[in-house]
Amino acid sequence: MAKKKSSLVNMLIALFVITLVSGAVLGEIYMLTKKPIEDAKKTKTENAVKEVLPAFSSLKEYSVKATDLKKGDSIIFREAYDEDGQLVGTAIETITDKGFGGRVKLMVGLLPDMTINKISVLSQAETPGLGAKMTGIFKDQFDGKKVNGEMKVKKDGGDVDAITAATISSRAFCDAVNRAINYYKQEKGE
């Protein structure tokens, strides 16, 4: 086989073919992985709801547009009821864009008496070993905390122990929790 002459046209054709094949392969991989990724996200959310709320038998889900966020995202509420139809708690999927690494997404479990049951971190991109510690013991300090006012780190006059060397991440976490509580109160007419 004779070597093709190196010309602009031949190089453009080769580049076009490589781009076309690469695009087709990437598109196919995307289509193959799209459903499993969506299923994994759904499962993670369902597990987070179960983690942050007491035992329940049914859920009622609704969302409210978050007017205080630039992207116009929604805060998602999942009200949990026992077999007698009594509200046992509300799982609130909340977000903030104030994290050091960007967006932080939480699931806050709020009991009917305005006590935080538990919090689960759905996603975050904070610095490993620093802000990413929010997924561990940091979030546990909110468990059983009665909501009366804004959650703030001690540095800002609150009672939340910040993650050492990660005050921005700690403030972002508090911001997401406060957003959940404020939208909950707004929905309940408080």
Side-chain angles (χ1 to χ4, degrees):
M1 181 175 198
K3 183 177 175 184
K4 291 214 177 221
K5 182 179 175 189
S6 181
S7 70
L8 180 61
V9 173
N10 287 341
M11 287 189 280
L12 288 175
I13 290 171
L15 186 59
F16 176 74
V17 169
I18 291 169
T19 304
L20 184 67
V21 170
S22 298
V25 169
L26 285 174
E28 187 62 30
I29 290 171
Y30 172 77
M31 294 307 292
L32 289 172
T33 60
K34 183 179 179 184
K35 177 105 172 82
I37 290 171
E38 287 174 359
D39 291 345
K41 284 181 182 179
K42 184 178 178 185
T43 300
K44 184 174 185 174
T45 300
E46 289 170 356
N47 290 338
V49 170
K50 291 174 186 172
E51 178 186 337
V52 302
L53 292 176
F56 59 90
S57 60
S58 65
L59 282 175
K60 175 185 165 193
E61 183 177 317
Y62 62 95
S63 63
V64 176
K65 190 170 178 95
T67 57
D68 59 342
L69 292 172
K70 293 176 186 170
K71 296 180 182 178
D73 294 300
S74 295
I75 305 299
I76 302 169
F77 296 88
R78 292 175 181 87
E79 292 179 340
Y81 297 91
D82 63 15
E83 55 278 342
D84 298 327
Q86 295 295 314
L87 180 69
V88 296
T90 304
I92 307 165
E93 192 174 320
T94 181
I95 49 181
T96 184
D97 289 323
K98 295 183 178 181
F100 186 76
R103 180 160 280 201
V104 175
K105 193 174 195 178
L106 306 176
M107 184 72 71
V108 178
L110 198 59
L111 301 176
D113 68 352
M114 295 300 290
T115 300
I116 296 173
N117 189 50
K118 289 187 179 290
I119 298 176
S120 177
V121 178
L122 297 175
S123 64
Q124 53 83 22
E126 302 302 283
T127 307
L130 293 174
K133 288 182 179 179
M134 71 173 54
T135 61
I137 198 165
F138 172 78
K139 70 178 177 60
D140 296 341
Q141 68 181 304
F142 292 85
D143 296 356
K145 193 174 280 247
K146 184 83 169 160
V147 175
N148 47 5
E150 293 241 327
M151 301 289 171
K152 295 180 185 177
V153 295
K154 288 182 178 177
K155 196 176 204 178
D156 297 335
D159 63 349
V160 175
D161 291 321
I163 302 167
T164 303
T167 307
I168 294 171
S169 300
S170 303
R171 286 179 177 143
F173 193 97
C174 289
D175 180 64
V177 172
N178 289 329
R179 180 168 288 107
I181 292 165
N182 291 337
Y183 276 93
Y184 180 81
K185 287 179 177 178
Q186 178 181 316
E187 283 303 297
K188 297 302 175 194
E190 294 179 23

